Each structure stands twice: as structure tokens, then as C-alpha cells.
């Protein structure tokens, strides 16, 4: 019987293999047997650690969300850190969000909720401008951050670098920090539409 440490190592190997396989094939298209083979373990060990494919998917979600934890300043910005991190987590996140499942909806909602909290903390600390609709700001911000996952190849081709790299991040931060428009013409126009 293996030690607790080797069990954790096997668990992490299985989870990492699932991130890759789910990212490539989607959750529905990936088999537990293929994930086990990728991790170099038996299918029974996958079931032992995660119970089912759904349990494994939940572990992958938690792993991606855990990557968003920590860091309470702008340098610790959570979602951008995950997007700039390992490609398997990025591919997994993209594929998961496109699955259209209840699990994908729950994952997106959790990311928005964490981002909304992060932005509120930044607002309280004076690093983020106030808004009239905190929830809408968080949803739009997350959508903008996730767009390169869907358009990654096109963005990379035109930028000449990884969309999550410094060139794309800098362009985005310049727009978010300084603004894009020089006046409030478009804001006033859209505000009128709401009336």
C-alpha cells in the first residue's frame, strides 16, 4: 500500500492528465481510461481518487480556481495569473466554458464572483474606479479576460506573441488604466438607450 504522499502525487498526476485531456477533447469526449493511461495509472485508481468523471472535472475546476486565490494587490490579479500560467489550465478553462453544461455555468459564475470581490476590494483600497453596477463590471471584465482563450490563435497571429503574454496584457492594461476614449460621447449615447 502506498504512502499518503504517493497517493497525493498520483492524485495530482491524474488531475493534471485530466486537465490536458479535458482541454483537448472536452469533458464529454474524454474517457477515464485515456486519462488513466495519460497519468500512468490504472482506471481503478482514478475512480478511487475521484469517484467519477464528474468528480474529476470538479477537481480540475477547483485546481483552476485555486490558482486564482491569493494576492490582494494588482500584481496578484487572479484571473490574469491563471491565464498567463500553464497552457493546460488555459485550454481546460476554454473548453470547459464552451461545453455549455451546468458545470461550465457554475464555473463561470464562480470566476465572476471572485473577480467581483477582487474589484470591490480594489475599489475600497482606491486602486479601482467606482462603478454604478459592480456585477456588470465583473462580468464584462471576466469576459474580456477570457476572450483570448477563444480567439487565441488569431490574437497570437496578429500580436506575434502569446495572447496572455506581456504584449497583450500591456495593451489591455493601458486601455483599462487610461481609458480608450477621450470623452464620454459613447457612454452618454448608451446611457440614453437605457432611458
Amino acid at each position: 500500500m502506498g504512502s499518503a504522499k504517493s497517493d497525493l502525487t498520483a492524485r495530482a498526476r491524474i488531475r493534471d492528465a485530466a486537465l490536458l485531456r479535458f482541454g483537448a477533447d472536452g469533458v464529454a469526449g474524454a474517457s477515464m481510461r485515456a486519462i488513466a493511461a495519460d497519468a500512468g495509472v490504472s482506471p481503478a485508481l482514478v475512480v478511487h481518487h475521484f469517484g467519477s468523471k464528474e468528480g474529476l472535472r470538479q477537481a480540475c475546476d477547483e485546481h483552476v480556481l485555486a490558482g486564482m486565490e491569493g494576492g490582494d494587490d494588482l500584481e496578484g490579479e487572479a484571473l490574469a495569473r491563471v491565464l498567463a500560467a500553464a497552457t493546460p489550465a488555459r485550454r481546460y478553462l476554454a473548453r470547459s466554458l464552451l461545453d455549455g453544461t451546468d458545470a461550465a455555468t457554475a464555473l463561470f459564475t464562480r470566476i465572476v464572483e471572485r473577480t467581483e470581490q477582487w474589484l470591490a476590494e480594489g475599489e475600497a483600497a482606491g486602486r479601482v474606479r467606482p462603478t454604478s453596477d459592480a456585477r456588470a463590471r465583473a462580468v464584462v471584465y471576466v469576459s474580456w479576460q477570457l476572450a483570448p482563450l477563444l480567439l487565441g490563435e488569431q490574437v497570437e497571429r496578429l500580436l506575434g506573441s502569446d495572447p496572455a503574454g506581456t504584449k497583450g496584457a500591456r495593451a489591455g492594461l493601458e486601455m483599462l488604466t487610461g481609458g480608450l476614449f477621450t470623452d464620454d460621447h459613447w457612454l452618454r449615447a448608451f446611457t440614453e438607450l437605457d432611458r
Side-chain angles (χ1 to χ4, degrees), residues 94-166:
R95 193 66 187 251
S96 293
L97 293 173
L98 290 175
D99 277 347
T101 62
D102 290 342
T105 299
L107 178 61
F108 184 77
T109 300
R110 289 176 69 187
I111 292 169
V112 167
E113 288 168 350
R114 288 182 182 192
T115 302
E116 186 175 3
Q117 179 183 356
W118 173 74
L119 289 168
E121 290 166 1
E123 192 175 313
R127 294 187 310 260
V128 174
R129 295 180 199 277
T131 183
S132 61
D133 189 338
R135 182 61 163 208
R137 173 179 65 185
V139 170
V140 170
Y141 180 80
V142 169
S143 299
W144 286 351
Q145 290 289 320
L146 295 175
L149 294 177
L150 306 176
L151 301 170
E153 289 179 22
Q154 299 300 328
V155 173
E156 184 170 358
R157 181 178 58 80
L158 293 174
L159 279 181
S161 65
D162 183 344
T166 57

Side-chain angles (χ1 to χ4, degrees), residues 7-192:
D7 285 347
L8 289 175
T9 301
R11 183 177 170 83
R13 265 196 347 261
I14 295 165
R15 184 210 55 230
D16 290 349
L19 280 171
L20 287 168
R21 183 64 65 168
F22 289 161
D25 301 338
V27 174
S31 74
M32 296 281 275
R33 187 172 301 283
I35 292 166
D38 292 348
V41 301
S42 70
L45 190 60
V46 177
V47 173
H48 167 75
H49 281 295
F50 299 99
S52 65
K53 190 191 301 188
E54 177 59 20
L56 185 52
R57 186 208 52 80
Q58 288 174 0
C60 289
D61 285 358
E62 291 305 321
H63 179 69
V64 170
L65 289 168
M68 296 180 200
E69 301 274 310
D72 59 357
D73 58 22
L74 290 179
E75 293 164 351
E77 198 243 357
L79 184 56
R81 186 171 56 246
V82 167
L83 295 178
T87 299
R90 288 168 45 194
R91 285 190 180 140
Y92 169 78
L93 188 56
R95 193 66 187 251
S96 293
L97 293 173
L98 290 175
D99 277 347
T101 62
D102 290 342
T105 299
L107 178 61
F108 184 77
T109 300
R110 289 176 69 187
I111 292 169
V112 167
E113 288 168 350
R114 288 182 182 192
T115 302
E116 186 175 3
Q117 179 183 356
W118 173 74
L119 289 168
E121 290 166 1
E123 192 175 313
R127 294 187 310 260
V128 174
R129 295 180 199 277
T131 183
S132 61
D133 189 338
R135 182 61 163 208
R137 173 179 65 185
V139 170
V140 170
Y141 180 80
V142 169
S143 299
W144 286 351
Q145 290 289 320
L146 295 175
L149 294 177
L150 306 176
L151 301 170
E153 289 179 22
Q154 299 300 328
V155 173
E156 184 170 358
R157 181 178 58 80
L158 293 174
L159 279 181
S161 65
D162 183 344
T166 57
K167 189 174 189 176
R170 181 176 176 83
L173 286 170
E174 283 177 359
M175 284 192 294
L176 290 170
T177 302
L180 181 62
F181 301 115
T182 58
D183 62 34
D184 67 351
H185 171 80
W186 293 110
L187 179 59
R188 284 185 287 114
F190 276 92
T191 301
E192 286 299 315

